[in-house]
């Protein structure tokens, strides 16, 4: 490993880093740091290299010019895919090479990450080397790119990051100084990692939409999937389910089998029409209970009844992939499905498939984390449909809990009132609101962006006001005297840490403060970024994985 990593340190030379820092206006002195890298302990070298990579990556988000170009391309989404083709070529990857990744391409509104996680685990249980690209990450960016189920390590991330970045920098002047956006770069990096690590297949989750998403540079996936559709990212994808379905159907390819779950009639018609137009065999996955008739109860590693739909879709995706894999190994023609838009009959899943479903882990989605008398329920639900599933799961899990606390935030165009109205039915004793910031920032960079922090806190107070208005009719009954004095039912905090510290005081004896309940249930929801920030504080070990 040291020999392998020495190449990274040598290639991480001062001249290149100086040029890169200048290009991205980074406030760091990698030239001085690099002189001492080879004398430093390995762990220190890795830390410095990773920090440098993350700093450069962050500049792709924070750069003003890049933000302006991103807004322009949102008005003309076809430009993003066109630019992605150029970036792919500049990074040294051909479309033919992508074909060799034997990709499973998955889109949808809710459940696409969970479906991908189920699918990856099933295929890994068949002895295959898997790649898995997903978004967003919860704690660290390396989570987005996984090999055999694990986020790539710091050394590999650093190595492949600088290989990709240097190729793009070397060709920058020949292409008008253009650089990829954050998600574009990470997609290029994922493809590079999977090719270099020689995976047998790659499970690729679409970022937003499908038709113009930068993952749709994929030309010949082995199979495609569409999870449950709903209203989300409406400013980009459209205001109706039919418009959104058309965007999602953009990942269909002629002759490539596609699977979906039961959809609302309008959305299903759009998917079917698009599949027929391009001769894409589209199949509706059966309900999970149809498999259970042959194998008995199917156990899932992910909690919640809504995961049964995702698990069924994952069975179809993995089965289709394995059939084609088997056919190719037998030197037969590529696997295709006969008939369009038919209900696919359930099959008898293998033990490896059933084991895969049971062993699947996917943090931040219907996740339970015990911390003494406090149990955290973490789910990144942020649409009406996914929040309804979250409420159902949480309510079932906390039937006999003494105290219920909500920790909530939303971002972007999310309809906070619609989401909070669903959460009211859980009967929370306290509702806490905070921005998606782990700790109160005190850096100079934050002071420069003070107005942004104020805006985020104002959003939290708006959510708090909505919550109080929704609970006004039963406000007196909802508040129990758990805090000495007149404790409010809802509170706003400047960061996640301060909210968690307030919750932690519930564990202390009631010496003039909180009465110690037998059990406390905390639901963290509304945003995956909020869930990630909470996980980072509740499980510090995740930072080093």
């Amino acid at each position: 490993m040291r020999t392998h990593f020495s190449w990274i340190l040598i290639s991480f030379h001062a001249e290149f880093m100086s040029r890169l820092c200048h290009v991205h206006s980074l406030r760091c002195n990698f030239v001085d740091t690099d002189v001492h890298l080879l004398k430093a302990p390995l762990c220190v070298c890795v830390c410095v290299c990773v920090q440098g990579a993350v700093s450069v990556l962050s500049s792709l988000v924070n750069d003003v010019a890049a933000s302006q170009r991103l807004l322009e391309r949102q008005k003309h989404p076809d430009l993003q895919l066109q630019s992605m083709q150029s970036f792919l070529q500049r990074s040294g990857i051909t479309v033919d090479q992508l074909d060799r990744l034997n990709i499973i391409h998955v889109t949808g509104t809710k459940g696409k990450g969970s479906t991908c996680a189920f699918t990856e685990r099933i295929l890994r249980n068949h002895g295959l080397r898997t790649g898995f690209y997903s978004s967003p990450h919860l704690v660290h960016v390396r989570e987005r790119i996984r090999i055999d189920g694990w986020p790539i390590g710091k050394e590999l991330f650093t190595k492949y990051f600088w290989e990709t970045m240097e190729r793009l920098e070397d060709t920058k002047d020949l292409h008008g100084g253009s650089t990829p956006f954050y998600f574009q770069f990470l997609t290029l990096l994922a493809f590079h990692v999977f090719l270099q690590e020689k995976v047998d297949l790659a499970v690729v989750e679409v970022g937003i939409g499908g038709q113009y998403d930068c993952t749709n540079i994929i030309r010949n996936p082995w199979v495609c999937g569409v999870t449950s559709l709903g209203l989300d990212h409406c400013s980009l994808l459209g205001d109706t389910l039919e418009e959104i379905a058309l965007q999602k159907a953009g990942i269909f390819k002629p002759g490539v089998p596609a699977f979906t779950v039961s959809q609302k009639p309008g959305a299903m018609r759009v998917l079917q029409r698009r599949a027929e137009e391009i001769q894409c065999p589209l199949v509706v996955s059966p309900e999970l209970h149809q498999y259970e008739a042959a194998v008995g109860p199917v156990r899932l590693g992910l909690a919640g009844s809504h995961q049964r739909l995702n698990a069924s879709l994952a069975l179809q995706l993995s089965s289709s992939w394995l059939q084609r894999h088997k056919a190719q190994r037998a030197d037969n023609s590529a696997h295709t499905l006969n008939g369009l838009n038919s209900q696919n009959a359930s099959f008898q899943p293998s033990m490896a498939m059933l084991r895969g479903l049971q062993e699947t882990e996917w943090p931040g989605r219907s996740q339970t984390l015990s911390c003494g008398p406090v149990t955290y329920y973490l789910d990144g639900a942020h649409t009406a449909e996914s929040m309804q599933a979250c409420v159902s799961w949480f309510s079932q899990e906390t039937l006999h809990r003494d105290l219920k606390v909500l920790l909530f935030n939303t971002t972007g165009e999310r309809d906070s009132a619609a989401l909070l109205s669903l959460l009211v039915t859980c009967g929370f004793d306290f509702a806490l609101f905070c921005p998606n910031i782990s700790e109160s920032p005190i850096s100079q960079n934050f002071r420069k962006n003070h107005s942004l922090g104020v805006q985020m806190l104002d959003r939290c107070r708006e959510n708090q006001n909505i919550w109080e208005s929704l609970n006004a009719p039963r406000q007196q009954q909802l508040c129990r005297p758990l805090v000495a004095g007149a404790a409010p039912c809802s509170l706003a905090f400047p960061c996640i840490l301060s909210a968690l510290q307030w919750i932690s005081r519930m564990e202390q004896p009631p010496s003039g403060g909180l009465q110690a309940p037998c059990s406390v249930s905390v639901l963290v929801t509304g945003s995956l970024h909020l869930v990630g920030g909470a996980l980072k504080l509740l499980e510090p070990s995740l930072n080093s994985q």
Side-chain angles (χ1 to χ4, degrees), residues 192-209:
H192 181 53
V193 170
F194 297 154
L195 288 168
Q196 294 301 309
E197 291 298 305
K198 296 179 172 54
V199 299
D200 295 313
L201 71 133
V203 180
V204 177
E205 177 189 352
V206 167
I208 296 177

Side-chain angles (χ1 to χ4, degrees), residues 253-274:
K253 302 297 186 298
V256 175
F259 296 86
T260 188
V261 297
S262 297
Q263 307 283 1
K264 291 183 179 179
M268 184 62 78
R269 284 193 295 270
V270 172
L271 295 179
Q272 291 172 337
R273 184 167 60 248
R274 178 58 179 165

Side-chain angles (χ1 to χ4, degrees), residues 124-403:
R124 182 157 37 109
N125 271 15
H126 282 79
L128 297 161
R129 183 167 172 78
T130 62
F132 179 11
Y133 178 53
S134 65
S135 60
H137 61 273
L138 295 178
V139 177
H140 54 75
V141 70
R142 294 178 290 107
E143 296 171 23
R144 298 185 183 224
I145 305 172
R146 296 171 181 260
I147 301 293
D148 288 334
W150 289 94
I152 58 171
K154 294 179 180 179
E155 297 176 23
L156 285 183
F157 175 80
T158 303
K159 176 182 187 298
Y160 294 132
F161 178 94
W162 292 118
E163 285 180 354
T164 303
M165 181 60 75
E166 187 166 12
R167 290 172 183 174
L168 291 169
E169 284 295 308
D170 287 344
T171 56
K172 183 176 177 179
D173 292 342
L174 297 176
H175 292 81
S178 62
T179 56
F181 302 127
Y182 184 86
F183 189 74
Q184 287 178 321
F185 180 84
L186 286 174
T187 303
L188 295 170
L189 178 59
F191 290 150
H192 181 53
V193 170
F194 297 154
L195 288 168
Q196 294 301 309
E197 291 298 305
K198 296 179 172 54
V199 299
D200 295 313
L201 71 133
V203 180
V204 177
E205 177 189 352
V206 167
I208 296 177
Q211 176 72 49
Y212 302 113
D213 187 75
C214 60
T215 64
N216 209 28
I217 192 79
I218 300 165
R219 182 181 60 184
N220 292 312
W222 274 26
V223 60
C224 296
V226 181
T227 65
S228 298
L229 298 179
L231 298 177
D232 195 20
H233 299 293
C234 295
S235 62
L236 296 175
L237 305 179
D239 296 322
T240 67
L241 267 183
E242 289 76 11
E243 289 176 303
I244 290 173
L246 185 60
Q247 288 293 322
K248 306 292 184 179
I251 72 167
F252 291 168
K253 302 297 186 298
V256 175
F259 296 86
T260 188
V261 297
S262 297
Q263 307 283 1
K264 291 183 179 179
M268 184 62 78
R269 284 193 295 270
V270 172
L271 295 179
Q272 291 172 337
R273 184 167 60 248
R274 178 58 179 165
E276 290 171 352
E277 288 172 354
I278 67 170
Q279 292 297 295
C280 162
L282 176 65
V283 177
V284 180
S285 301
E287 298 290 335
L288 194 61
H289 67 78
Q290 293 180 244
Y291 303 93
E292 294 176 322
V295 299
V298 175
R299 300 182 182 278
L300 304 181
L302 304 183
S305 59
H306 60 287
Q307 294 293 355
R308 292 174 63 83
L309 209 59
N310 300 328
S312 176
L313 180 55
L315 286 173
Q316 295 293 327
L317 293 172
S318 55
S319 176
S320 176
W321 193 97
L322 287 167
Q323 287 183 55
R324 177 167 174 175
H325 181 60
K326 181 178 180 181
Q328 285 203 349
R329 291 183 65 182
D331 201 25
N332 294 331
S333 59
H335 167 62
T336 58
L337 296 174
N338 295 321
L340 297 175
N341 312 325
S342 59
Q343 181 80 20
N344 192 38
S346 60
F347 56 90
Q348 182 168 336
S350 66
M351 287 304 298
M353 288 180 168
L354 295 174
R355 212 168 54 247
L357 292 177
Q358 186 173 357
E359 295 171 352
T360 298
E361 296 179 357
W362 194 229
R365 289 80 170 177
S366 304
Q367 181 183 359
T368 303
L369 184 63
S370 295
C371 300
V374 180
T375 302
Y376 289 90
Y377 297 84
L378 304 111
D379 192 281
H382 52 268
T383 68
E385 293 84 359
S386 59
M387 187 59 75
Q388 186 60 66
C390 173
V391 166
S392 177
W393 163 67
F394 179 75
S395 298
Q396 186 64 35
E397 292 288 320
T398 58
L399 287 174
H400 306 292
R401 305 291 286 188
D402 291 329
L403 179 67

Side-chain angles (χ1 to χ4, degrees), residues 85-124:
Q85 294 171 345
S86 174
F87 292 134
L88 186 73
Q89 182 182 21
R90 287 169 55 187
S91 69
I93 301 174
T94 66
V95 177
D96 289 338
Q97 285 178 302
L98 292 187
D99 293 345
R100 295 202 291 270
L101 288 176
N102 310 327
I103 290 171
I104 298 173
H105 202 192
V106 180
T107 189
T109 304
K110 60 175 182 173
K112 61 182 186 289
S114 299
T115 298
C116 288
F118 278 130
T119 304
E120 184 277 331
R121 193 66 178 92
I122 288 171
L123 294 172
R124 182 157 37 109

